[in-house]
């Protein structure tokens, strides 16, 4: 019985994670191409904001502000999804 309950929770957690990942994917698709590229480089390629800022020829503070705006936009998109 405890194993079964644990397995059910694991399945439920996995389904919840898959649902969240799908929402994240759809939110990424709704971003502008340059926004997608920034988020991809930071979270998937693990580039630092300061390195990206140098590549884009902008200050680290400006890159930080861009990232924050993009993340807020993504959260709004995800929140409005059913």
């Amino acid at each position: 019985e405890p194993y079964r309950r644990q397995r059910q929770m694991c399945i439920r957690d996995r389904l919840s994670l898959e649902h969240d990942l799908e929402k994240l994917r759809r939110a990424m698709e709704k971003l502008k191409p340059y926004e997608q590229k920034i988020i991809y480089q930071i979270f998937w390629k693990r580039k630092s904001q300061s390195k990206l800022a140098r590549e884009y020829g902008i200050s680290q503070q400006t890159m930080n502000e861009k990232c924050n705006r993009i993340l807020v936009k993504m959260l709004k998109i995800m929140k409005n999804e059913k």
Side-chain angles (χ1 to χ4, degrees):
E1 181 64 31
Y3 172 74
R4 184 172 176 214
R5 192 174 309 124
Q6 184 180 13
R7 206 171 116 233
Q8 286 174 337
M9 286 181 65
C10 183
I11 292 168
R12 197 174 311 125
D13 290 346
R14 185 174 176 154
L15 289 174
S16 178
L17 176 62
E18 287 175 9
H19 176 75
D20 291 346
L21 289 172
E22 181 60 24
K23 284 174 75 171
L24 180 61
R25 187 188 63 75
R26 287 195 304 263
M28 283 285 288
E29 288 176 350
K30 292 180 180 178
L31 296 177
K32 294 174 183 171
Y34 84 90
E35 294 171 327
Q36 291 177 2
K37 187 175 180 181
I38 289 171
I39 294 300
Y40 177 77
Q41 290 178 332
I42 289 174
F43 291 99
W44 278 265
K45 292 290 190 174
R46 298 271 190 216
K47 279 193 183 175
S48 68
Q49 288 185 9
S50 55
K51 182 171 183 169
L52 265 184
R54 283 193 302 276
E55 290 176 12
Y56 279 75
I58 60 177
S59 71
Q60 198 273 330
Q61 182 180 349
T62 301
M63 180 55 74
N64 182 266
E65 291 165 358
K66 277 185 185 295
C67 290
N68 288 339
R69 276 197 303 275
I70 296 167
L71 292 173
V72 166
K73 182 178 180 178
M74 288 183 73
L75 285 173
K76 285 180 183 175
I77 292 168
M78 292 173 73
K79 189 176 176 184
N80 291 330
E81 291 240 337
K82 305 270 185 295

